[in-house]
Amino acid sequence: MALREWVGIYLKGIAMGAADAVPGVSGGTIALITGIYERLITAITELDPRALALVPGAIRAEGRARLRARLVEMDVWFLAALGLGVVTALVTVSRAVEYAEETFPALLFAFFFGLIAASAVVLYGEVDVSTPRRAFAGLAGVVLAFVVAGEVAGALPHTLPVVAVAGAVAICAMILPGISGAFILLLLGQYIYLTETLSTFVDALLALVTGGDASALVAAGSVVAVFGVGAVAGLLTIAHVVKYALTHYRAATLTFLVSLMVGALRYPAEQVLGNVGAWTPARALPVLAAALVGGVLVVAIDRYTDDLDLASEVDAGEDPAPAAPDGGNR
């Protein structure tokens, strides 16, 4: 790729990362806006771990040529440039989130509430719940998210296995239009912990470069590494499951995913209530304003993308989904 294309993909990665770093806004939607969604999904599903078998042969010129050709075929360089932009944004936004959570948590979670609530309202206009199957999927999504947000999110420990699973699930949400990876982490009670850990890791890395202690780097780095491993595993496994579900049960799957956002509103609402204390006009107005800002942000993005059809764009470039037995879309 030419340097200009590299920079363009990197900047699109920054936009995706900034969107995915906050619950309620989807990096997949940004990929649609910037015209790279089909290429992204194709590159992810073309990733093949068997290409690693070519690495030992790279000591010879012909081996390097085969490895390079395979990497180009899988569009790895595109994913690398895009991923670098995503990481850049995640590191930057995580710092802001950590500061906000420590300084004014009620406003932060009110902002998240506005983001998630507005996203749910907007996305429900893109799904169809006119059949019993879809209505059941929607109800199941609301109930599951409500229970997880209240009973599971606070109980899940911040252990490495939990972090790995969270990474695997969140990465799939990050590539879906409308569903935010940060929202999944928030639902699982891992969002604040992981944003703080990422900031700690970056600080420790900078300190090590300047001659500091490596102990903090090892502790935070292990969490970041395990999350990354989980994310890669998710891309190679769960992403294919999600793709299958969207291809064969598109309407019901989208209804379920959007309904998760409704039930999950319990978590930011409880966080707001727990951090406000006594409600007075002086405390209520900033909270309402923060929620309004989050909602307006989502509505603005929706207006910019009002010509995008979520139900059809998620399968951009694929063959039409098989018809359900009754001839309709399940």
Side-chain angles (χ1 to χ4, degrees), residues 260-304:
L260 288 176
M261 308 184 83
V262 178
L265 287 171
R266 175 180 179 178
Y267 185 80
E270 289 181 347
Q271 295 299 313
V272 171
L273 294 175
N275 284 284
V276 169
W279 285 91
T280 64
R283 292 182 178 180
L285 288 177
V287 170
L288 293 175
L292 181 62
V293 170
V296 168
L297 176 61
V298 171
V299 172
I301 294 175
D302 178 62
R303 284 184 60 86
Y304 187 80

mmCIF file of all heavy atoms in Angstrom, residues 260-304:
data_model
loop_
_atom_site.group_PDB
_atom_site.id
_atom_site.type_symbol
_atom_site.label_atom_id
_atom_site.label_comp_id
_atom_site.label_asym_id
_atom_site.label_seq_id
_atom_site.Cartn_x
_atom_site.Cartn_y
_atom_site.Cartn_z
ATOM 1 N N LEU A 260 -30.204 -6.500 24.173
ATOM 2 C CA LEU A 260 -29.216 -6.526 25.251
ATOM 3 C C LEU A 260 -28.976 -5.123 25.809
ATOM 4 O O LEU A 260 -28.776 -4.941 27.008
ATOM 5 C CB LEU A 260 -27.891 -7.103 24.745
ATOM 6 C CG LEU A 260 -27.807 -8.602 24.462
ATOM 7 C CD1 LEU A 260 -26.438 -8.940 23.874
ATOM 8 C CD2 LEU A 260 -28.040 -9.414 25.734
ATOM 9 N N MET A 261 -29.008 -4.133 24.934
ATOM 10 C CA MET A 261 -28.722 -2.766 25.345
ATOM 11 C C MET A 261 -29.803 -2.232 26.276
ATOM 12 O O MET A 261 -29.508 -1.465 27.199
ATOM 13 C CB MET A 261 -28.578 -1.869 24.118
ATOM 14 C CG MET A 261 -27.593 -2.396 23.093
ATOM 15 S SD MET A 261 -27.336 -1.292 21.699
ATOM 16 C CE MET A 261 -26.130 -0.191 22.391
ATOM 17 N N VAL A 262 -31.047 -2.649 26.055
ATOM 18 C CA VAL A 262 -32.145 -2.180 26.907
ATOM 19 C C VAL A 262 -31.980 -2.722 28.320
ATOM 20 O O VAL A 262 -32.034 -1.987 29.305
ATOM 21 C CB VAL A 262 -33.502 -2.593 26.317
ATOM 22 C CG1 VAL A 262 -34.633 -2.152 27.240
ATOM 23 C CG2 VAL A 262 -33.688 -1.991 24.930
ATOM 24 N N GLY A 263 -31.778 -4.038 28.439
ATOM 25 C CA GLY A 263 -31.610 -4.633 29.761
ATOM 26 C C GLY A 263 -30.373 -4.145 30.481
ATOM 27 O O GLY A 263 -30.372 -4.010 31.713
ATOM 28 N N ALA A 264 -29.332 -3.851 29.720
ATOM 29 C CA ALA A 264 -28.071 -3.435 30.333
ATOM 30 C C ALA A 264 -28.123 -2.028 30.909
ATOM 31 O O ALA A 264 -27.199 -1.628 31.638
ATOM 32 C CB ALA A 264 -26.935 -3.527 29.310
ATOM 33 N N LEU A 265 -29.156 -1.263 30.617
ATOM 34 C CA LEU A 265 -29.270 0.083 31.189
ATOM 35 C C LEU A 265 -29.304 0.049 32.719
ATOM 36 O O LEU A 265 -29.033 1.056 33.375
ATOM 37 C CB LEU A 265 -30.526 0.776 30.665
ATOM 38 C CG LEU A 265 -30.474 1.238 29.204
ATOM 39 C CD1 LEU A 265 -31.839 1.709 28.744
ATOM 40 C CD2 LEU A 265 -29.441 2.338 29.033
ATOM 41 N N ARG A 266 -29.605 -1.114 33.264
ATOM 42 C CA ARG A 266 -29.619 -1.253 34.720
ATOM 43 C C ARG A 266 -28.265 -0.889 35.330
ATOM 44 O O ARG A 266 -28.223 -0.241 36.394
ATOM 45 C CB ARG A 266 -29.994 -2.686 35.086
ATOM 46 C CG ARG A 266 -29.922 -2.997 36.577
ATOM 47 C CD ARG A 266 -30.298 -4.438 36.859
ATOM 48 N NE ARG A 266 -30.211 -4.759 38.267
ATOM 49 C CZ ARG A 266 -30.519 -5.950 38.788
ATOM 50 N NH1 ARG A 266 -30.926 -6.920 37.979
ATOM 51 N NH2 ARG A 266 -30.416 -6.162 40.077
ATOM 52 N N TYR A 267 -27.187 -1.300 34.678
ATOM 53 C CA TYR A 267 -25.861 -1.091 35.265
ATOM 54 C C TYR A 267 -25.488 0.385 35.383
ATOM 55 O O TYR A 267 -25.184 0.864 36.487
ATOM 56 C CB TYR A 267 -24.800 -1.846 34.466
ATOM 57 C CG TYR A 267 -23.422 -1.762 35.082
ATOM 58 C CD1 TYR A 267 -23.068 -2.576 36.147
ATOM 59 C CD2 TYR A 267 -22.485 -0.855 34.605
ATOM 60 C CE1 TYR A 267 -21.806 -2.496 36.720
ATOM 61 C CE2 TYR A 267 -21.222 -0.767 35.172
ATOM 62 C CZ TYR A 267 -20.887 -1.595 36.227
ATOM 63 O OH TYR A 267 -19.642 -1.496 36.799
ATOM 64 N N PRO A 268 -25.495 1.180 34.290
ATOM 65 C CA PRO A 268 -25.158 2.596 34.458
ATOM 66 C C PRO A 268 -26.146 3.334 35.348
ATOM 67 O O PRO A 268 -25.764 4.268 36.064
ATOM 68 C CB PRO A 268 -25.158 3.145 33.024
ATOM 69 C CG PRO A 268 -25.966 2.185 32.247
ATOM 70 C CD PRO A 268 -25.739 0.843 32.873
ATOM 71 N N ALA A 269 -27.430 2.925 35.321
ATOM 72 C CA ALA A 269 -28.418 3.584 36.184
ATOM 73 C C ALA A 269 -28.076 3.369 37.657
ATOM 74 O O ALA A 269 -28.131 4.311 38.469
ATOM 75 C CB ALA A 269 -29.815 3.045 35.882
ATOM 76 N N GLU A 270 -27.710 2.147 38.011
ATOM 77 C CA GLU A 270 -27.345 1.866 39.397
ATOM 78 C C GLU A 270 -26.073 2.608 39.793
ATOM 79 O O GLU A 270 -25.935 3.064 40.941
ATOM 80 C CB GLU A 270 -27.167 0.359 39.596
ATOM 81 C CG GLU A 270 -28.480 -0.418 39.555
ATOM 82 C CD GLU A 270 -28.277 -1.902 39.777
ATOM 83 O OE1 GLU A 270 -27.114 -2.356 39.724
ATOM 84 O OE2 GLU A 270 -29.270 -2.617 40.001
ATOM 85 N N GLN A 271 -25.143 2.732 38.863
ATOM 86 C CA GLN A 271 -23.906 3.460 39.158
ATOM 87 C C GLN A 271 -24.177 4.945 39.376
ATOM 88 O O GLN A 271 -23.572 5.578 40.253
ATOM 89 C CB GLN A 271 -22.894 3.268 38.016
ATOM 90 C CG GLN A 271 -22.407 1.844 37.846
ATOM 91 C CD GLN A 271 -21.687 1.334 39.072
ATOM 92 O OE1 GLN A 271 -20.824 2.014 39.637
ATOM 93 N NE2 GLN A 271 -22.036 0.132 39.512
ATOM 94 N N VAL A 272 -25.071 5.501 38.596
ATOM 95 C CA VAL A 272 -25.437 6.912 38.780
ATOM 96 C C VAL A 272 -26.089 7.110 40.143
ATOM 97 O O VAL A 272 -25.714 8.004 40.915
ATOM 98 C CB VAL A 272 -26.381 7.384 37.655
ATOM 99 C CG1 VAL A 272 -26.937 8.771 37.981
ATOM 100 C CG2 VAL A 272 -25.648 7.415 36.322
ATOM 101 N N LEU A 273 -27.067 6.268 40.454
ATOM 102 C CA LEU A 273 -27.780 6.392 41.729
ATOM 103 C C LEU A 273 -26.834 6.197 42.907
ATOM 104 O O LEU A 273 -26.964 6.866 43.945
ATOM 105 C CB LEU A 273 -28.916 5.368 41.791
ATOM 106 C CG LEU A 273 -30.052 5.564 40.787
ATOM 107 C CD1 LEU A 273 -31.041 4.416 40.866
ATOM 108 C CD2 LEU A 273 -30.756 6.900 41.037
ATOM 109 N N GLY A 274 -25.880 5.287 42.756
ATOM 110 C CA GLY A 274 -24.948 5.026 43.850
ATOM 111 C C GLY A 274 -23.934 6.122 44.074
ATOM 112 O O GLY A 274 -23.324 6.188 45.142
ATOM 113 N N ASN A 275 -23.717 6.982 43.079
ATOM 114 C CA ASN A 275 -22.703 8.028 43.200
ATOM 115 C C ASN A 275 -23.267 9.431 43.360
ATOM 116 O O ASN A 275 -22.499 10.369 43.572
ATOM 117 C CB ASN A 275 -21.792 8.008 41.961
ATOM 118 C CG ASN A 275 -20.806 6.869 41.975
ATOM 119 O OD1 ASN A 275 -19.811 6.886 42.689
ATOM 120 N ND2 ASN A 275 -21.089 5.837 41.185
ATOM 121 N N VAL A 276 -24.582 9.579 43.262
ATOM 122 C CA VAL A 276 -25.168 10.913 43.389
ATOM 123 C C VAL A 276 -25.468 11.252 44.840
ATOM 124 O O VAL A 276 -25.196 12.356 45.311
ATOM 125 C CB VAL A 276 -26.448 11.023 42.541
ATOM 126 C CG1 VAL A 276 -27.206 12.307 42.890
ATOM 127 C CG2 VAL A 276 -26.101 11.016 41.067
ATOM 128 N N GLY A 277 -26.016 10.285 45.578
ATOM 129 C CA GLY A 277 -26.411 10.587 46.944
ATOM 130 C C GLY A 277 -27.763 11.272 46.961
ATOM 131 O O GLY A 277 -28.708 10.835 46.320
ATOM 132 N N ALA A 278 -27.858 12.373 47.677
ATOM 133 C CA ALA A 278 -29.115 13.122 47.750
ATOM 134 C C ALA A 278 -29.329 13.895 46.448
ATOM 135 O O ALA A 278 -28.442 14.593 45.967
ATOM 136 C CB ALA A 278 -29.077 14.081 48.933
ATOM 137 N N TRP A 279 -30.552 13.739 45.893
ATOM 138 C CA TRP A 279 -30.853 14.417 44.634
ATOM 139 C C TRP A 279 -31.320 15.847 44.910
ATOM 140 O O TRP A 279 -32.307 16.075 45.585
ATOM 141 C CB TRP A 279 -31.937 13.662 43.872
ATOM 142 C CG TRP A 279 -31.416 12.409 43.223
ATOM 143 C CD1 TRP A 279 -31.386 11.169 43.759
ATOM 144 C CD2 TRP A 279 -30.843 12.305 41.927
ATOM 145 N NE1 TRP A 279 -30.817 10.278 42.870
ATOM 146 C CE2 TRP A 279 -30.490 10.946 41.729
ATOM 147 C CE3 TRP A 279 -30.594 13.222 40.892
ATOM 148 C CZ2 TRP A 279 -29.887 10.493 40.562
ATOM 149 C CZ3 TRP A 279 -30.007 12.759 39.725
ATOM 150 C CH2 TRP A 279 -29.658 11.416 39.563
ATOM 151 N N THR A 280 -30.563 16.785 44.401
ATOM 152 C CA THR A 280 -30.913 18.199 44.461
ATOM 153 C C THR A 280 -30.826 18.748 43.046
ATOM 154 O O THR A 280 -30.204 18.126 42.177
ATOM 155 C CB THR A 280 -29.940 18.963 45.375
ATOM 156 O OG1 THR A 280 -28.616 18.901 44.804
ATOM 157 C CG2 THR A 280 -29.918 18.361 46.780
ATOM 158 N N PRO A 281 -31.447 19.897 42.773
ATOM 159 C CA PRO A 281 -31.340 20.463 41.427
ATOM 160 C C PRO A 281 -29.893 20.645 40.973
ATOM 161 O O PRO A 281 -29.570 20.421 39.801
ATOM 162 C CB PRO A 281 -32.056 21.807 41.562
ATOM 163 C CG PRO A 281 -33.063 21.572 42.651
ATOM 164 C CD PRO A 281 -32.381 20.662 43.625
ATOM 165 N N ALA A 282 -29.013 21.018 41.906
ATOM 166 C CA ALA A 282 -27.611 21.225 41.544
ATOM 167 C C ALA A 282 -26.930 19.935 41.119
ATOM 168 O O ALA A 282 -25.976 19.954 40.335
ATOM 169 C CB ALA A 282 -26.860 21.843 42.727
ATOM 170 N N ARG A 283 -27.393 18.801 41.655
ATOM 171 C CA ARG A 283 -26.798 17.510 41.284
ATOM 172 C C ARG A 283 -27.531 16.868 40.116
ATOM 173 O O ARG A 283 -26.921 16.163 39.308
ATOM 174 C CB ARG A 283 -26.819 16.571 42.482
ATOM 175 C CG ARG A 283 -25.885 17.002 43.610
ATOM 176 C CD ARG A 283 -25.897 16.005 44.758
ATOM 177 N NE ARG A 283 -24.975 16.378 45.820
ATOM 178 C CZ ARG A 283 -24.803 15.680 46.933
ATOM 179 N NH1 ARG A 283 -25.514 14.569 47.139
ATOM 180 N NH2 ARG A 283 -23.941 16.081 47.852
ATOM 181 N N ALA A 284 -28.825 17.071 40.045
ATOM 182 C CA ALA A 284 -29.622 16.421 39.007
ATOM 183 C C ALA A 284 -29.364 17.007 37.623
ATOM 184 O O ALA A 284 -29.285 16.264 36.635
ATOM 185 C CB ALA A 284 -31.099 16.527 39.349
ATOM 186 N N LEU A 285 -29.235 18.322 37.534
ATOM 187 C CA LEU A 285 -29.076 18.959 36.229
ATOM 188 C C LEU A 285 -27.816 18.500 35.494
ATOM 189 O O LEU A 285 -27.887 18.190 34.297
ATOM 190 C CB LEU A 285 -29.092 20.483 36.379
ATOM 191 C CG LEU A 285 -30.467 21.095 36.719
ATOM 192 C CD1 LEU A 285 -30.352 22.598 36.920
ATOM 193 C CD2 LEU A 285 -31.469 20.777 35.602
ATOM 194 N N PRO A 286 -26.636 18.468 36.139
ATOM 195 C CA PRO A 286 -25.448 17.966 35.426
ATOM 196 C C PRO A 286 -25.603 16.524 34.967
ATOM 197 O O PRO A 286 -25.132 16.157 33.886
ATOM 198 C CB PRO A 286 -24.325 18.111 36.458
ATOM 199 C CG PRO A 286 -24.800 19.165 37.401
ATOM 200 C CD PRO A 286 -26.278 18.970 37.479
ATOM 201 N N VAL A 287 -26.252 15.678 35.795
ATOM 202 C CA VAL A 287 -26.461 14.275 35.421
ATOM 203 C C VAL A 287 -27.346 14.184 34.189
ATOM 204 O O VAL A 287 -27.051 13.446 33.235
ATOM 205 C CB VAL A 287 -27.067 13.488 36.601
ATOM 206 C CG1 VAL A 287 -27.515 12.102 36.147
ATOM 207 C CG2 VAL A 287 -26.061 13.369 37.735
ATOM 208 N N LEU A 288 -28.444 14.928 34.190
ATOM 209 C CA LEU A 288 -29.337 14.927 33.038
ATOM 210 C C LEU A 288 -28.644 15.472 31.796
ATOM 211 O O LEU A 288 -28.846 14.969 30.685
ATOM 212 C CB LEU A 288 -30.583 15.752 33.342
ATOM 213 C CG LEU A 288 -31.519 15.180 34.419
ATOM 214 C CD1 LEU A 288 -32.650 16.152 34.712
ATOM 215 C CD2 LEU A 288 -32.070 13.826 33.982
ATOM 216 N N ALA A 289 -27.812 16.493 31.985
ATOM 217 C CA ALA A 289 -27.087 17.074 30.854
ATOM 218 C C ALA A 289 -26.106 16.068 30.257
ATOM 219 O O ALA A 289 -25.974 15.961 29.031
ATOM 220 C CB ALA A 289 -26.347 18.335 31.301
ATOM 221 N N ALA A 290 -25.409 15.312 31.131
ATOM 222 C CA ALA A 290 -24.454 14.306 30.647
ATOM 223 C C ALA A 290 -25.166 13.224 29.850
ATOM 224 O O ALA A 290 -24.692 12.795 28.791
ATOM 225 C CB ALA A 290 -23.702 13.696 31.822
ATOM 226 N N ALA A 291 -26.325 12.761 30.355
ATOM 227 C CA ALA A 291 -27.108 11.756 29.631
ATOM 228 C C ALA A 291 -27.589 12.310 28.295
ATOM 229 O O ALA A 291 -27.590 11.604 27.273
ATOM 230 C CB ALA A 291 -28.290 11.305 30.479
ATOM 231 N N LEU A 292 -27.993 13.571 28.289
ATOM 232 C CA LEU A 292 -28.473 14.205 27.061
ATOM 233 C C LEU A 292 -27.360 14.304 26.023
ATOM 234 O O LEU A 292 -27.573 14.056 24.833
ATOM 235 C CB LEU A 292 -29.033 15.588 27.369
ATOM 236 C CG LEU A 292 -29.603 16.374 26.184
ATOM 237 C CD1 LEU A 292 -30.782 15.615 25.576
ATOM 238 C CD2 LEU A 292 -30.038 17.769 26.628
ATOM 239 N N VAL A 293 -26.157 14.652 26.480
ATOM 240 C CA VAL A 293 -25.015 14.735 25.564
ATOM 241 C C VAL A 293 -24.756 13.385 24.913
ATOM 242 O O VAL A 293 -24.515 13.285 23.706
ATOM 243 C CB VAL A 293 -23.757 15.236 26.309
ATOM 244 C CG1 VAL A 293 -22.512 15.077 25.427
ATOM 245 C CG2 VAL A 293 -23.927 16.687 26.712
ATOM 246 N N GLY A 294 -24.801 12.318 25.718
ATOM 247 C CA GLY A 294 -24.608 10.979 25.167
ATOM 248 C C GLY A 294 -25.668 10.633 24.140
ATOM 249 O O GLY A 294 -25.364 10.095 23.066
ATOM 250 N N GLY A 295 -26.920 10.952 24.448
ATOM 251 C CA GLY A 295 -27.999 10.666 23.516
ATOM 252 C C GLY A 295 -27.884 11.467 22.228
ATOM 253 O O GLY A 295 -28.084 10.930 21.132
ATOM 254 N N VAL A 296 -27.545 12.740 22.338
ATOM 255 C CA VAL A 296 -27.413 13.597 21.156
ATOM 256 C C VAL A 296 -26.278 13.109 20.264
ATOM 257 O O VAL A 296 -26.380 13.134 19.027
ATOM 258 C CB VAL A 296 -27.177 15.060 21.581
ATOM 259 C CG1 VAL A 296 -26.747 15.912 20.397
ATOM 260 C CG2 VAL A 296 -28.440 15.635 22.218
ATOM 261 N N LEU A 297 -25.191 12.621 20.877
ATOM 262 C CA LEU A 297 -24.062 12.112 20.097
ATOM 263 C C LEU A 297 -24.503 10.940 19.219
ATOM 264 O O LEU A 297 -24.172 10.873 18.032
ATOM 265 C CB LEU A 297 -22.945 11.678 21.033
ATOM 266 C CG LEU A 297 -21.715 11.028 20.380
ATOM 267 C CD1 LEU A 297 -21.046 11.998 19.416
ATOM 268 C CD2 LEU A 297 -20.727 10.560 21.440
ATOM 269 N N VAL A 298 -25.271 10.022 19.800
ATOM 270 C CA VAL A 298 -25.744 8.869 19.038
ATOM 271 C C VAL A 298 -26.701 9.298 17.934
ATOM 272 O O VAL A 298 -26.631 8.818 16.798
ATOM 273 C CB VAL A 298 -26.418 7.852 19.973
ATOM 274 C CG1 VAL A 298 -27.110 6.751 19.170
ATOM 275 C CG2 VAL A 298 -25.397 7.242 20.917
ATOM 276 N N VAL A 299 -27.611 10.211 18.246
ATOM 277 C CA VAL A 299 -28.566 10.693 17.249
ATOM 278 C C VAL A 299 -27.835 11.379 16.095
ATOM 279 O O VAL A 299 -28.202 11.216 14.918
ATOM 280 C CB VAL A 299 -29.583 11.652 17.894
ATOM 281 C CG1 VAL A 299 -30.451 12.309 16.823
ATOM 282 C CG2 VAL A 299 -30.463 10.901 18.883
ATOM 283 N N ALA A 300 -26.773 12.120 16.416
ATOM 284 C CA ALA A 300 -25.999 12.791 15.368
ATOM 285 C C ALA A 300 -25.341 11.773 14.445
ATOM 286 O O ALA A 300 -25.346 11.934 13.215
ATOM 287 C CB ALA A 300 -24.935 13.693 16.007
ATOM 288 N N ILE A 301 -24.785 10.711 15.033
ATOM 289 C CA ILE A 301 -24.181 9.660 14.221
ATOM 290 C C ILE A 301 -25.238 8.976 13.361
ATOM 291 O O ILE A 301 -25.015 8.664 12.187
ATOM 292 C CB ILE A 301 -23.464 8.631 15.118
ATOM 293 C CG1 ILE A 301 -22.260 9.287 15.812
ATOM 294 C CG2 ILE A 301 -23.009 7.416 14.309
ATOM 295 C CD1 ILE A 301 -21.559 8.378 16.804
ATOM 296 N N ASP A 302 -26.422 8.771 13.944
ATOM 297 C CA ASP A 302 -27.499 8.121 13.199
ATOM 298 C C ASP A 302 -27.946 8.979 12.021
ATOM 299 O O ASP A 302 -28.225 8.453 10.937
ATOM 300 C CB ASP A 302 -28.675 7.857 14.131
ATOM 301 C CG ASP A 302 -29.851 7.227 13.409
ATOM 302 O OD1 ASP A 302 -29.683 6.112 12.888
ATOM 303 O OD2 ASP A 302 -30.925 7.861 13.347
ATOM 304 N N ARG A 303 -28.012 10.283 12.211
ATOM 305 C CA ARG A 303 -28.396 11.175 11.114
ATOM 306 C C ARG A 303 -27.370 11.115 9.995
ATOM 307 O O ARG A 303 -27.703 11.174 8.816
ATOM 308 C CB ARG A 303 -28.552 12.613 11.604
ATOM 309 C CG ARG A 303 -29.832 12.867 12.370
ATOM 310 C CD ARG A 303 -29.957 14.341 12.736
ATOM 311 N NE ARG A 303 -29.983 15.186 11.541
ATOM 312 C CZ ARG A 303 -31.063 15.477 10.839
ATOM 313 N NH1 ARG A 303 -32.230 14.970 11.198
ATOM 314 N NH2 ARG A 303 -31.001 16.252 9.784
ATOM 315 N N TYR A 304 -26.101 10.976 10.372
ATOM 316 C CA TYR A 304 -25.040 10.917 9.369
ATOM 317 C C TYR A 304 -25.099 9.609 8.591
ATOM 318 O O TYR A 304 -24.668 9.535 7.441
ATOM 319 C CB TYR A 304 -23.679 11.063 10.046
ATOM 320 C CG TYR A 304 -22.530 11.181 9.083
ATOM 321 C CD1 TYR A 304 -22.246 12.402 8.456
ATOM 322 C CD2 TYR A 304 -21.717 10.091 8.786
ATOM 323 C CE1 TYR A 304 -21.193 12.524 7.567
ATOM 324 C CE2 TYR A 304 -20.662 10.199 7.909
ATOM 325 C CZ TYR A 304 -20.404 11.419 7.308
ATOM 326 O OH TYR A 304 -19.355 11.527 6.419
#
